[in-house]
Structure formats: C-alpha cells, structure tokens
Amino acid sequence: MASLFDPIQLGSIHAANRIIMAPMTRGRATKDHIPTEIMIDYYRERASAGLIIAEGTGISQEGLGWPYAPGIWSKEQVEAWKPIVDAVHEAGGKIISQLWHMGRTVHPSFHPHPISASDTTAPRWAHTYDGKKPYEQARALPINEIPRLLNDYAQAAKNAMEAGFDGVQIHAANGYLIDQFLRDSSNFREDEYGGSIENRIRLLIQVTQTVNQTVGADKTSVRLSPNELVQGVIDSNSEALFVAATQALSKEKINFLEVREPRAGEDNFIMADLTDDDLYPAIAPAMRKNFDGHFIINGSYNGESAKQAMNNNEADGVAFGRPFISNPDLVNKIKNNIPFTPDDAKTWFTQGKEGYSDY
C-alpha cells in the first residue's frame, strides 16, 4: 500500500506526498474580497504539503457571503492571487483554487437576492460585516438562470488558471449551493433539478462538465460531504445519493474526489452545536468502491490515524484542515511523530497575522 509520504500524480498535478492541506476559510482578504500580502507567507509556509487546496474562493459576488473571504471573479482579485501562487511554487509546492458559491448562506448584506435550489432559509445566523445576523429566505434559482451560473463557474476557473493555480476544486459540500441542490432537505423542486436522485445531482454534473471543458478534467477536483448535517442540509437517503453522485463523477474523469466526513470526537466550527450522537455512518467506503480515480479523505485525522487509513487502503491521500493552521510544518511533524501545536480558535477569522502566519 502507498504511504502518506509517497508521491502521487493527481491528473496533471504531481504531488510530492499524499498529505493534502484542506481548504479553510481564514478571513484575511479585504472587504472587497481581494487577497492580501499576508496570505503570501501563510501559503508559502505550508508548501511542503503534497497539495494545498486554497480556502473557499467566491466565483461571484452573488456566491460569496463571508467577511474578508477572497474572490476570483475580478481582475484585481486575480492579480492579487498571483504572488501567493508564485510563492507556493517557489517553495516547491502545488496549489489549487476552491471554487465556492454559498447559495442560501449568503446574507443579503453581501448580495440582495441570495439563490438556492428552493425558496428556503438556512438555520442559525450569518457572519456579516455588522456581526451575526439571521439568514433570510433565498429565492429558487430559475432554470433560465442556470446557464448564467455555469458561466460564472467557467469564468472563475479561467481566472484561477490566469492566476497560476495548478487546478481547481468545485466546492459541492458543507451545505453550500451545490449541496443545497443535492439534498432533499433543501431541494423541493419539481423540475429536472429536483425530485429524483438523478435530477438532484444534475447541477453538480453540469458544473463539473463546464469546469472540465474550461480547464481540463486533469485539473478539476470535487469536494463532497456525504454524511453530515451541516447548515441545515441533510438527505433522507444519503448513501444512495452520494454513491450515484460518485458514479457520475467517475465518468467525468476528474483528477480526484475529496470526501469530507466528520468522525466521533471532532470539534469543528460548522458542527459546533452538535454532539457525537449527531454523526452518521460513514459513506466514504461505499463511494470509494464506486469511484475510478484518486480518492482523498478528510475527517479530523491525526498522523497515526491517517497512516492507518492509508494502510487500510481507505484512500489515496488524506486531507488535513485545522492541524495546518498551527503546524505549517505538518508534513515533517507527521513523518517524525512530533506532537502537533494546538491552534487558537479565537484567531481563525481575524484579519491580522496573529494565529495566521505567526505559528
């Protein structure tokens, strides 16, 4: 079996090892969603990862509703990403852009008319520039606007290539727009995008095909989160849904599929009000059997549990999120069994270097 430290060819991307840095929102861009200089050091310091999946990056103003998160729809944003990507490459690393549309979790203070699969409202609250506010009802995306949405994904993918990224990842997880279309708790449509599983995975596959045609399947990956109740999104038959989605994605020959599944004992921001009793059986094993391509797992692994997962042939690589926040040298620490430095949750989304590039 391959180890975490063996190289892997992910489509067009040669990764020096199989320790992947997962995308994490950190809130260090400007209010206009333009990347900043402190992001250069942050990503450069973590370039020893086999591959960095950069933080969720808005494909459009409509799709981005997180304070100080970066976008990739404007020329200014593309230019600001270039030195970040260059720094990673100069340090010997590889980095891809995660294409993000938040759907109904965009508060109207960011964009006046948030969209979703159906006329629904996300639970809890939105983080805005004026503090936490309740979400408001999103409008169901009309079929005649789907070509416009697909074009937004295509343009964002083109922009990522112009910025120098090694590829892109379609964010189809964590209760955001594509996930809202996938799950029957948020998709009540009666057209060809709702009802059956085949219909509900349609947007995911169309976005994937669009991005594949734009940058190449060898530069395109997808993230899914099959077994978690997140931001009010869940499905009544998750295994059937995500096995079908996996089979469809397998046909598209994407360079890898990343599957995010929380595991017992995890302390996670999105699941902060949930307990282990809210966790669901793992679906990743069934998805792996149905995916003809590289399969990356993500779920609160430490060095030993990640090594064991590789020994068990559960995946072709393991993505780490929070450990990379406070351990820029995470690859070295895992390889040499060095304890991880803990992170400070109070600094996850602040705008300065503290808790960001000072570990």
Side-chain angles (χ1 to χ4, degrees):
M1 297 299 171
S3 81
L4 285 173
F5 309 103
D6 289 328
I8 185 171
Q9 192 71 33
L10 299 170
S12 67
I13 302 169
H14 180 77
N17 58 67
R18 297 169 186 238
I19 296 173
I20 311 300
M21 179 173 161
M24 291 175 287
T25 299
R26 301 303 313 278
R28 262 68 177 191
T30 70
K31 197 170 183 178
D32 294 323
H33 308 295
I34 298 171
T36 57
E37 288 188 6
I38 64 170
M39 294 167 64
I40 297 174
D41 287 339
Y42 174 76
Y43 282 108
R44 178 198 289 122
E45 290 167 355
R46 290 153 180 82
S48 60
L51 175 66
I52 295 172
I53 307 173
E55 63 205 275
T57 301
I59 65 168
S60 63
Q61 182 63 74
E62 173 196 72
L64 187 54
W66 192 279
Y68 302 104
I72 198 159
W73 66 82
S74 74
K75 183 67 175 178
E76 293 79 7
Q77 291 163 346
V78 171
E79 291 302 312
W81 273 114
K82 287 181 178 179
I84 299 169
V85 174
D86 288 345
V88 171
H89 289 161
E90 289 165 5
K94 300 293 174 64
I95 183 170
I96 64 176
S97 175
Q98 190 188 59
L99 307 181
W100 193 23
H101 194 302
M102 295 173 61
R104 70 181 188 178
T105 63
V106 173
H107 189 268
S109 62
F110 290 92
H111 188 273
H113 303 294
I115 63 170
S116 188
S118 300
D119 296 324
T120 60
T121 305
R124 301 178 67 192
W125 57 82
H127 291 261
T128 77
Y129 289 116
D130 298 314
K132 294 180 180 179
K133 294 186 175 183
Y135 288 109
E136 298 184 18
Q137 182 173 294
R139 67 185 180 94
L141 182 66
I143 284 183
N144 64 8
E145 290 188 37
I146 287 178
R148 184 264 303 169
L149 175 67
L150 296 176
N151 185 67
D152 287 345
Y153 274 99
Q155 187 61 55
K158 287 179 185 177
N159 290 348
M161 293 299 100
E162 184 181 343
F165 283 100
D166 297 293
V168 297
Q169 183 182 74
I170 298 164
H171 194 347
N174 302 114
Y176 296 118
L177 180 65
I178 295 176
D179 211 12
Q180 292 158 26
F181 270 80
L182 289 174
R183 318 254 197 158
D184 60 14
S185 69
S186 51
N187 184 340
F188 307 112
R189 301 175 74 102
E190 297 180 352
D191 56 22
E192 58 262 46
Y193 290 88
S196 68
I197 287 175
E198 179 182 10
N199 284 354
R200 284 184 279 124
I201 68 173
R202 191 180 306 277
L203 182 65
L204 166 65
I205 302 309
Q206 288 182 333
V207 171
T208 303
Q209 291 171 341
T210 296
V211 175
N212 281 355
Q213 292 164 6
T214 303
V215 304
D218 61 342
K219 293 182 175 65
T220 302
S221 64
V222 173
R223 169 184 259 213
L224 296 173
S225 55
N227 79 334
E228 57 183 314
L229 169 63
V230 57
Q231 303 191 113
V233 173
I234 194 68
D235 195 81
S236 62
N237 193 0
S238 291
E239 182 163 339
L241 168 63
F242 283 97
V243 166
T246 300
Q247 291 171 337
L249 288 171
S250 186
K251 294 176 182 177
E252 299 304 324
K253 307 297 183 184
I254 57 175
N255 64 357
F256 68 90
L257 174 61
E258 183 202 5
V259 176
R260 160 74 183 155
E261 285 195 325
R263 300 184 304 139
E266 180 180 9
D267 179 18
N268 171 284
F269 171 72
I270 291 178
M271 296 185 63
D273 60 348
L274 304 181
T275 69
D276 289 352
D277 293 336
D278 296 299
L279 298 179
Y280 297 82
I283 298 173
M287 296 171 69
R288 178 157 172 72
K289 291 177 183 177
N290 284 276
F291 187 68
D292 183 19
H294 292 304
F295 194 80
I296 307 298
I297 51 176
N298 177 333
S300 64
Y301 289 90
N302 58 32
E304 286 307 308
S305 61
K307 291 175 185 176
Q308 188 59 53
M310 294 293 293
N311 289 339
N312 295 341
N313 196 31
E314 295 173 25
D316 300 299
V318 179
F320 294 80
R322 281 178 51 189
F324 263 113
I325 292 177
S326 50
N327 299 274
D329 56 343
L330 186 67
V331 174
N332 178 63
K333 286 185 173 178
I334 293 174
K335 191 170 188 177
N336 293 290
N337 299 312
I338 299 171
F340 295 176
T341 300
D343 65 283
D344 180 4
K346 294 178 182 177
T347 61
W348 284 354
F349 310 119
T350 53
Q351 279 71 69
K353 293 183 178 180
E354 183 184 5
Y356 187 68
S357 56
D358 63 347
Y359 284 106

